[in-house]
């Protein structure tokens, strides 16, 4: 069990011995290596509460207020708890989402349930996989457990006073950033079905994705009869009514207060996006009156062990690295949410997943690992994306509360679908529809949603700047984020090329390959910076380049020409066309220096996704693979399993997926079958791929921290001289990779360079 303050110093009993013992994966409780507080502070914004199984819709945890600090996933280490709610979105930036369907305990009778009932914590919160505990200053202890669509609150009150529970339907996580992304409660209803059973719904809107009203239904039951059950309504902190009216509804704040004469009390709550009947059904299916907290914890651990954590087995690593591995795996799979059967938008035979936040973050390396570790869920996820297109008209780039939004750069679901396609995901996926969905992104301008942050084109879905892309083959400053959108649109079109090729659509294949090279139209060879020339810059309709300092991205935000990173970074993002980047930059040595400069000039930000692939582009130069390994280790040093162990927002687990790839010693080139070879962290690491297949990776001769350069590599028992492997080499049917590591670089990767598929038109 972890507490917030001791989580970095806990000890593992005989970890190495345990790990080296040959155990069937199912016998090992990997949750013992998980710190649920990893990445919850210092901007990581991860959710530490209870997620009863991977992809569960319920995320039950504390909501904390601390001045005007945004609590993105509800939790903050300091500040007062003002409720425990059933829904959260882990790891995001932007603005808090959800935090609805809450309960808050109070000691004694509650004269005004609209007053501030928040409480500080007597001791730091504790948590483990499937369990969360808060001890409040007023002596109340709350322990939480959860299932897919329901949660259990177990309360222990101080004896001697009545014990009260307040259910405030207007409870929703606020945002204080002033960016227009705060959530609003718009209306609700609350019905006392009997003294110890309530049902109702709350309706909310906005948040980062600017979503219109959405409604969540709830069904709560207590394990004993209250001495009183009352409903209330009011505005601000002022009550309009407070009494035993059995039903209240409307746009005022409203809810119920339950008072008990017992010190120990359990509340079960079910949720549903469909109806309160379904919320009750979910509750009764998943948490029965006699269900114990302990049985939920056991079930949650079992689910996380069998579905996620046991998919990677390691031996011989340090305790810290093992903790980082399993804590990262947990963080990687906090969202999306499997909402199959819980889609209020349409009914369909297809699965339904929500809480994609966002592909801008996850398409580079998260989705590729999601596919490998959870192939069953991933196929459902891909089908769900295509079904969203069928019914909403566009694939999401981000989505939550059943609403697409928002798009920061390109339509990166195209890259995700392409990645799935080239790696052979077929099953029940309808790829004709999948390709039509991608084609919608590539050919149909989405209706403008008039986002105040970028009113010139849609930020909801699709490619807002498509008119310029089609007309000029680049994006003029008439559109915001023109340059960063352009490089992403290029990779998106490369995704269409990949799928068109597979489907035998020759015309489209040619068209989209050509379009995938359009990033080149932003390349100004005369733009210079720090001994380098040639950068992607804004370009006007008349073809002229806009003067641009490659070290600056202006405000780097929604209304600027580059989003969240500068020309140096975006000019290395055409990862499907690396040979062209290399030629434009001036050849191998200049290319190496260009990547080096990201560090020399302090541009590189391990916490920001546009930088994710750049550190490993050295693999595209003969003899330079060791430089990627150096960068990989440097990035690894920025992570740990502690509360501030993420170098940026978790971003739906993108940050965790990134470190997991470093540990594996590979990095995926999204949309392609290529994986760049780095240097694995563990003497032995096995990824279970399903159907009895596995990829087993070993290292000998070196040391993860001090002697980590690749000396030689064998793949599937054969000597290997390439700084990359393909899907077919090691993942399609499993395989082995045996590394010899040492303390100084060796020129081992003398073979063929990694593919650069869009560079096929390069002369000479
Ligand atoms: C409300 O309370 C009054 C007084 O205690 C009682 O007579 C009445 O039956 C209650 N009504 C309901 C709906 O519980
Ligand atoms: C209440 O819960 C506490 C802590 O779990 C336990 O020690 C105590 O025995 C319980 N009391 C009753 C009356 O069940
Ligand atoms: C997603 O949810 C549906 C409905 O509960 C279920 O049938 C399906 O197995 C779930 N998928 C995964 C991967 O758990
Ligand atoms: C630029 O190149 C010159 C000549 O090669 C070198 O002396 C100088 O240090 C370089 N400047 C930077 C900032 O790299």
């Amino acid at each position: 069990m972890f507490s917030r303050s001791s989580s970095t110093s806990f000890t593992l009993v005989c970890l190495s011995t345990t790990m080296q013992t040959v155990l069937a994966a199912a016998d090992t409780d990997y949750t013992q290596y998980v710190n649920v507080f990893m990445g919850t502070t210092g901007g990581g914004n991860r959710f530490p509460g209870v997620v009863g199984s991977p992809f569960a819709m319920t995320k039950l945890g504390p909501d904390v207020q601390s001045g005007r600090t945004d609590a993105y996933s509800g939790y903050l280490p300091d500040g007062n708890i003002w409720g425990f709610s059933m829904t959260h979105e882990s790891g995001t930036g932007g603005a808090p989402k959800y935090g609805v369907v809450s309960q808050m305990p109070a000691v004694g009778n509650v004269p005004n349930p609209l007053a501030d009932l928040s409480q500080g914590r007597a001791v730091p919160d504790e948590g483990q996989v499937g369990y969360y505990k808060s001890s409040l200053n007023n002596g109340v202890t709350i322990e939480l457990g959860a299932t897919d669509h329901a949660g259990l609150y177990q309360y222990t009150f101080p004896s001697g006073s009545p014990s009260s529970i307040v259910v405030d339907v207007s409870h929703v996580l606020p945002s204080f950033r002033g960016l227009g992304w705060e959530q609003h409660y718009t209306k609700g209803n609350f019905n006392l079905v009997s003294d110890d059973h309530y049902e109702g719904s709350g309706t909310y809107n906005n948040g980062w994705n600017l979503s219109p009203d959405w409604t969540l239904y709830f069904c709560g039951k207590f394990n004993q009869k209250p001495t009183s059950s009352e409903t209330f309504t009011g505005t601000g902190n002022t009550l309009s009514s407070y009494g035993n009216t059995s039903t209240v509804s409307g746009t005022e704040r409203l809810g119920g207060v339950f008072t008990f004469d017992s010190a120990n009390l359990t509340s079960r709550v079910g949720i549903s996006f469909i109806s309160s009947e379904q919320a009750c059904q979910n509750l009764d299916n998943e948490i029965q009156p006699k269900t114990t907290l302990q049985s939920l914890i056991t079930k949650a651990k079992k689910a996380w062990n069998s579905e996620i954590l046991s998919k990677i087995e390691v031996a011989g690593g340090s305790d810290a690295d093992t903790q980082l591995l399993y804590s990262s795996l947990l963080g990687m799979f906090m969202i999306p949410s499997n909402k199959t059967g819980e889609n209020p938008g349409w009914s369909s035979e297809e699965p339904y997943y929500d809480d994609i936040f966002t592909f801008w973050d996850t398409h580079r390396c998260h989705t590729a690992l999601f596919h490998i570790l959870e192939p069953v869920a991933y196929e459902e996820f891909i089908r769900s994306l295509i079904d969203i297109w069928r019914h909403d008209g566009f694939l999401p780039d981000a989505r939550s509360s059943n609403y697409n939004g928002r798009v920061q750069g390109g339509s990166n679901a195209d890259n995700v679908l392409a990645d799935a396609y080239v790696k052979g995901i077929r099953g029940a996926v309808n790829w004709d529809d999948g390709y039509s969905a991608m084609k919608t992104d590539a050919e149909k301008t989405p209706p403008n949603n008039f986002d105040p942050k970028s009113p010139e084109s849609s930020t909801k879905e699709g490619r807002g700047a498509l008119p310029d892309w089609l007309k000029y083959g680049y994006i003029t400053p008439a559109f915001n984020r023109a340059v960063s959108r352009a490089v992403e649109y290029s990779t998106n079109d490369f995704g269409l090329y990949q799928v068109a090729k597979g489907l035998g659509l020759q015309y489209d294949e040619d068209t989209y390959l050509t379009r995938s090279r359009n990033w080149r139209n932003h390349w100004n060879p005369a733009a210079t910076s720090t001994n380098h020339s040639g950068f992607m810059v804004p370009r006007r309709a008349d073809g002229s380049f806009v003067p641009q300092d490659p070290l600056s991205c202006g405000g780097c935000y929604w209304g600027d020409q580059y989003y969240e990173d500068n020309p140096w970074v975006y000019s290395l993002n055409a990862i499907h066309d690396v040979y062209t980047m290399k030629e434009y930059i001036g050849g191998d040595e200049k290319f190496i220096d260009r990547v080096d400069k990201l560090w020399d000039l302090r541009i590189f930000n391990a916490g920001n996704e546009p930088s994710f692939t750049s550190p490993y582009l050295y693999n595209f130069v003969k003899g330079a693979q060791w430089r990627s390994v150096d960068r990989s280790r440097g990035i690894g040093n920025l992570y740990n399993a502690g509360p501030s162990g993420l170098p940026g927002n978790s971003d739906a687990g993108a940050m965790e997926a990134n470190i997991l790839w470093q540990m594996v010693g590979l990095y995926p080139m999204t949309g392609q079958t290529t994986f760049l070879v780095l240097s694995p962290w563990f003497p032995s690491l096995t990824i279970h791929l399903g159907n009895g297949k596995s990829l087993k990776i070993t290292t000998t001769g070196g040391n993860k921290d001090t002697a980590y350069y690749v000396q030689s590599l064998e793949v599937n028992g054969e000597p290997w001289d390439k700084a990359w492997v393909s899907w077919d080499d090691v993942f399609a049917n499993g395989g082995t990779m045996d590394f010899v590591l040492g303390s100084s670089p060796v020129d081992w990767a003398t073979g063929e360079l990694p593919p650069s598929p869009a560079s096929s038109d390069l002369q000479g």
Side-chain angles (χ1 to χ4, degrees):
M1 191 178 300
F2 285 89
S3 77
R4 163 173 74 85
S5 50
S6 67
S7 51
T8 47
S9 61
F10 87 122
T11 50
L12 297 169
V13 183
C14 301
L15 170 64
S16 309
T17 327
T18 313
M19 297 303 290
Q20 277 158 12
T21 311
V22 182
L23 283 173
D27 295 340
T28 307
D29 179 14
Y30 297 93
T31 69
Q32 67 186 297
Y33 310 122
V34 173
N35 179 5
V36 300
F37 290 97
M38 177 183 172
T40 50
T41 70
N45 298 347
R46 224 168 96 163
F47 175 66
V50 184
V51 184
S53 70
F55 316 111
M57 191 169 93
T58 297
K59 279 115 173 125
L60 176 54
D63 295 331
V64 182
Q65 47 187 218
S66 176
R68 296 177 61 80
T69 304
D70 278 17
Y72 289 87
S73 66
Y75 173 85
L76 292 171
D78 302 308
N80 282 8
I81 294 182
W82 63 295
F84 295 84
S85 66
M86 298 280 289
T87 50
H88 294 91
E89 195 152 52
S90 180
T92 69
K97 187 79 184 180
Y98 303 136
V100 306
V101 182
S102 81
Q103 291 191 356
M104 183 68 198
V107 174
N109 293 308
V110 178
N112 180 0
L114 296 176
D116 178 8
L117 301 173
S118 72
Q119 285 285 319
R121 284 162 282 191
V123 296
D125 295 347
E126 294 172 21
Q128 41 180 287
V129 173
Y131 174 74
Y132 198 88
K133 178 180 181 184
S134 295
S135 304
L136 304 180
N137 280 339
N138 61 4
V140 182
T141 300
I142 301 95
E143 295 169 281
L144 305 172
T147 57
D148 288 348
H149 312 91
L152 184 84
Y153 298 69
Q154 183 164 300
Y155 295 99
T156 309
F157 282 81
S159 51
S161 317
S163 310
S164 295
I165 305 290
V166 175
V167 178
D168 174 4
V169 179
S170 73
H171 180 108
V172 59
L173 290 177
S175 175
F176 303 100
R177 294 183 70 193
L179 293 173
W181 299 333
E182 72 288 347
Q183 302 187 91
H184 310 122
Y185 160 75
T186 62
K187 63 182 181 200
N189 72 81
F190 189 91
N191 180 20
L192 287 172
V193 177
S194 62
D195 292 347
D196 56 356
H197 171 183
Y198 63 91
E199 294 177 16
S201 68
T203 300
Y204 315 87
N205 66 30
N206 211 41
W208 186 74
N209 71 335
L210 309 179
S211 99
D213 279 359
W214 57 276
T215 297
L216 189 60
Y217 300 86
F218 51 80
C219 173
K221 297 180 179 177
F222 293 96
N223 70 335
Q224 50 200 275
K225 290 277 172 208
T227 50
S228 78
S229 312
E230 291 169 303
T231 58
F232 65 85
T233 60
T235 301
N237 292 345
T238 309
L239 286 166
S240 311
S241 73
Y242 188 12
N244 58 3
T245 319
S246 63
T247 298
V248 286
S249 65
T251 56
E252 283 194 306
R253 296 181 63 183
L254 53 84
V257 180
F258 301 84
T259 303
F260 303 82
D261 58 12
S262 154
N264 290 12
L265 173 63
T266 298
S267 168
R268 299 176 292 135
V269 180
I271 54 172
S272 170
F273 283 87
I274 304 295
S275 65
S276 40
E277 291 72 29
Q278 188 154 323
C280 289
Q281 239 165 52
N282 286 340
L283 177 62
D284 295 337
N285 289 343
E286 297 176 14
I287 307 183
Q288 286 83 39
K290 291 208 157 56
T291 304
T292 62
L293 177 60
Q294 188 52 52
S295 72
L296 294 181
I297 300 169
T298 304
K299 211 168 150 197
K301 288 190 169 162
K302 199 168 161 208
W304 279 99
N305 272 322
S306 67
E307 291 169 39
I308 301 289
L309 303 176
S310 64
K311 297 292 175 72
I312 302 186
E313 281 185 278
V314 291
S318 70
D319 294 356
D321 292 345
T322 305
Q323 292 158 30
L324 177 58
L325 170 75
Y326 291 107
S327 303
S328 296
L329 276 173
L330 180 84
M332 190 186 148
F333 285 101
M334 289 267 163
I335 52 177
S337 309
N338 179 1
K339 285 168 61 174
T340 306
E342 288 289 343
N343 182 357
W346 60 86
S347 51
S348 144
E349 295 303 305
E350 292 297 281
Y352 180 61
Y353 283 71
D354 195 10
D355 301 330
I356 298 161
F357 207 121
T358 66
F359 284 143
W360 187 85
D361 299 298
T362 59
H363 82 274
R364 289 180 176 79
C365 72
H366 179 281
T367 45
L369 193 56
F370 180 175
H371 171 206
I372 287 165
L373 299 177
E374 260 292 345
V376 173
Y378 198 63
E379 186 188 314
E380 289 182 3
F381 180 64
I382 296 291
R383 288 166 62 195
S384 152
L385 294 177
I386 297 168
D387 210 40
I388 288 168
W389 163 81
R390 272 187 205 108
H391 294 92
D392 278 358
F394 279 90
L395 294 163
D397 196 61
R399 185 179 177 92
S400 44
S401 62
N402 306 307
Y403 188 77
N404 283 353
R406 48 199 290 146
V407 185
Q408 298 159 95
S411 52
N412 291 320
D414 302 339
N415 308 36
V416 173
L417 290 180
D419 197 63
Y421 185 84
V422 298
K423 291 170 181 171
I425 295 184
R426 297 294 183 271
V429 179
N430 179 334
W431 277 110
D432 291 332
D433 281 5
Y435 184 65
S436 297
M438 297 169 75
K439 233 177 137 157
T440 303
D441 283 339
E443 302 296 340
K444 183 176 170 189
T445 304
N448 195 343
N449 60 331
F450 299 102
D451 181 341
K453 287 269 173 299
S454 189
E456 92 298 344
S457 64
S458 178
T459 59
K460 179 177 187 288
E461 53 205 359
R463 302 190 206 170
L466 194 64
D468 269 11
W469 191 245
L470 298 180
K471 185 169 174 193
Y472 303 110
Y474 57 91
I475 302 172
T476 72
F479 289 99
N480 293 330
R481 292 163 277 122
V483 185
S484 45
R485 273 170 155 174
V487 68
E488 294 197 11
Y489 288 12
S490 295
T491 65
N492 303 155
D493 280 337
F494 175 74
L496 274 101
Y497 155 75
Q498 289 284 58
V499 180
K501 187 168 63 159
L503 295 175
L505 303 169
Q506 183 67 52
Y507 176 81
D508 281 19
E509 181 186 333
D510 297 342
T511 302
Y512 291 112
L513 180 60
T514 303
R515 276 176 51 171
S516 83
R517 297 172 177 140
N518 281 349
W519 68 273
R520 303 175 188 175
N521 296 334
H522 281 273
W523 194 268
N524 180 2
T528 58
S529 175
T530 327
N531 282 357
H532 278 273
S533 57
F535 290 89
M536 285 187 71
V537 303
R539 193 169 186 186
R540 302 182 187 96
D542 67 6
S544 61
F545 293 117
V546 178
Q548 171 71 38
D549 173 4
L551 281 167
S552 167
C553 48
C556 315
Y557 216 31
W558 292 93
D560 299 293
Q561 294 295 292
Y562 302 80
Y563 182 78
E564 287 196 6
D565 235 321
N566 72 21
W568 272 85
V569 169
Y570 277 111
S571 299
L572 284 169
N573 256 287
I575 63 164
H576 58 302
D577 200 4
V578 177
Y579 296 166
T580 304
M581 292 198 296
K582 226 163 65 163
E583 177 163 298
Y584 281 13
I585 284 167
D588 283 353
E589 279 183 32
K590 213 63 187 163
F591 186 72
I592 287 177
D593 191 62
R594 174 76 69 112
V595 182
D596 280 348
K597 283 278 184 298
L598 299 181
W599 282 265
D600 300 346
L601 301 174
R602 299 181 166 277
I603 295 166
F604 180 76
N605 177 357
N608 202 26
E609 284 76 5
S611 295
F612 264 23
T613 313
S614 316
Y616 321 117
L617 294 177
Y618 299 108
N619 282 33
F620 285 82
V621 176
K622 286 240 165 91
Q625 189 267 352
W626 64 272
R627 296 173 188 270
S628 299
V629 171
D630 265 347
R631 298 304 180 196
S632 169
R633 284 298 189 277
I635 291 160
N637 290 335
L638 303 174
Y639 283 81
N640 61 65
S644 57
L646 289 175
N649 299 155
S650 160
D651 284 332
M655 215 57 61
E656 286 93 332
N658 190 23
I659 195 64
L660 287 162
W661 281 114
Q662 311 309 312
M663 293 179 161
V664 169
L666 295 171
Y667 198 83
M669 298 294 279
T670 182
Q672 305 175 44
T673 53
T674 304
F675 297 81
L676 303 177
V677 171
L678 304 174
S679 170
W681 286 24
F682 293 90
S684 167
L685 180 149
T686 301
I687 306 178
H688 296 285
L689 303 167
N691 298 326
K693 294 179 287 193
S694 64
L695 167 58
K696 187 166 170 54
I697 297 172
T698 67
T699 64
T700 51
N703 175 292
K704 178 245 163 186
D705 295 309
T706 56
Y708 48 70
Y709 296 107
V710 179
Q711 310 292 297
S712 65
L713 169 62
E714 287 188 358
V715 175
N716 300 326
E718 301 291 333
W720 197 261
D721 63 2
K722 297 187 290 189
W724 59 285
V725 292
S726 74
W727 175 262
D728 281 344
D729 292 328
V730 295
F731 286 110
N733 299 299
T736 59
M737 297 184 74
D738 299 300
F739 289 79
V740 177
L741 303 182
S743 52
S744 32
V746 164
D747 187 14
W748 67 276
T750 55
E752 188 191 342
L753 290 173
S756 178
S759 313
S760 52
D761 62 335
L762 263 191
Q763 306 299 312

